[in-house]
Amino acid sequence: GENVEQHPSTLSVQEGDSAVIKCTYSDSASNYFPWYKQELGKRPQLIIDIRSNVGEKKDQRIAVTLNKTAKHFSLHITETQPEDSAVYFCAASKTDSWGKLQFGAGTQVVVTP
Amino acid sequence: EAGVTQSPTHLIKTRGQQATLRCSPISGHTSVYWYQQALGLGLQFLLWYDEGEERNRGNFPPRCSGRRFPNYSSELNVNALELEDSALYLCASSQPGGTGGLFFGEGSRLTVL
């Protein structure tokens, strides 16, 4: 089955700097890659997703890149703010089982003022 | 518009008892998913109902089962509770085919003593 690895497990950045989280996946048939943000005690919230027919997607300060050949995808957060502090999860699934997301272990991001 | 609603928010049980968790999807969403998030861990797929029919099951014991209802709401039942069943149980919903991504509820925190 699919296996998703996520790095780093913790990331501390100064406010205003950029943060990058990387994930690799094992199943070449995977074609949907969402990212979720989970604040302490809150629900995971979908912040951005990408499908395998594109290599990059951007939404304001966040962007996701996908390298299908290398089977890895990354989340980029620019101009980080304290409210970006949370646990971020990457995930992967494929067309015939889009709801069966395989999640990474998560990255605790701490943005210090 | 109301999001995914789950009840109860917290549930305390003892070993051997049974727990029932409930989920109502976002209006218009016909796919419902259940995930387990143990403390400090990522999300593990449990169960998926698509258009009311069971579509996929994760690798969890048979004492964990689900029900779905004509209005696309769902229940997750865990029988013969064990200590390791203590976790946050998250329900998510989506439009048919996963269009737009999965949206999670706030979860039900199950504690087994």
Side-chain angles (χ1 to χ4, degrees):
Chain A
E2 176 64 277
N3 182 49
V4 176
E5 293 190 357
Q6 183 171 347
H7 300 280
S9 57
T10 59
L11 181 60
S12 184
V13 294
Q14 289 280 343
E15 182 177 358
D17 288 349
S18 295
V20 180
I21 304 169
K22 299 181 179 181
C23 289
T24 60
Y25 60 98
S26 60
D27 190 342
S28 56
S30 290
N31 57 5
Y32 175 63
F33 308 94
W35 286 87
Y36 285 85
K37 174 184 179 182
Q38 188 175 29
E39 297 177 36
L40 189 62
K42 299 288 184 65
R43 72 181 77 190
Q45 290 191 297
L46 179 65
I47 56 172
I48 195 167
D49 57 10
I50 191 168
R51 298 189 183 273
S52 59
N53 56 345
V54 297
E56 184 175 357
K57 185 176 179 180
K58 189 173 181 180
D59 183 5
Q60 298 182 3
R61 296 187 297 108
I62 59 173
V64 57
T65 59
L66 171 65
N67 183 326
K68 286 192 295 182
T69 303
K71 290 191 284 188
H72 67 71
F73 56 112
S74 301
L75 179 72
H76 304 254
I77 307 173
T78 58
E79 300 172 23
T80 54
Q81 301 168 4
E83 52 265 38
D84 294 329
S85 296
V87 178
Y88 291 79
F89 292 97
C90 64
S93 68
K94 46 193 176 184
T95 301
D96 61 347
S97 56
W98 70 84
K100 190 176 179 180
L101 291 169
Q102 182 67 43
F103 280 86
T107 297
Q108 174 76 61
V109 174
V110 177
V111 180
T112 53
Chain B
E1 178 181 303
V4 176
T5 56
Q6 291 187 246
S7 64
T9 54
H10 293 87
L11 189 60
I12 298 175
K13 294 285 187 177
T14 56
R15 283 191 304 174
Q17 287 188 312
Q18 185 239 4
T20 297
L21 310 176
R22 299 175 181 85
C23 172
S24 292
I26 292 171
S27 177
H29 285 190
T30 58
S31 295
V32 172
Y33 317 83
W34 286 95
Y35 283 81
Q36 181 196 61
Q37 186 175 31
L39 189 62
L41 298 179
L43 287 79
Q44 301 294 321
F45 172 78
L46 292 176
L47 193 60
W48 168 10
Y49 287 108
D50 189 27
E51 301 269 352
E53 298 294 323
E54 183 176 303
R55 175 72 182 264
N56 211 323
R57 287 170 61 93
N59 294 322
F60 59 93
R63 57 188 182 81
C64 193
S65 64
R67 291 177 65 190
R68 79 284 188 270
F69 299 94
N71 64 354
Y72 303 111
S73 64
S74 175
E75 278 184 0
L76 182 71
N77 297 289
V78 187
N79 297 312
L81 286 167
E82 300 177 1
L83 295 178
E84 54 263 35
D85 294 325
S86 294
L88 181 67
Y89 289 82
L90 290 159
C91 176
S93 73
S94 77
Q95 296 178 28
T99 305
L102 275 63
F103 292 86
F104 284 89
E106 295 286 359
S108 293
R109 171 78 58 193
L110 173 62
T111 302
V112 182
L113 303 176

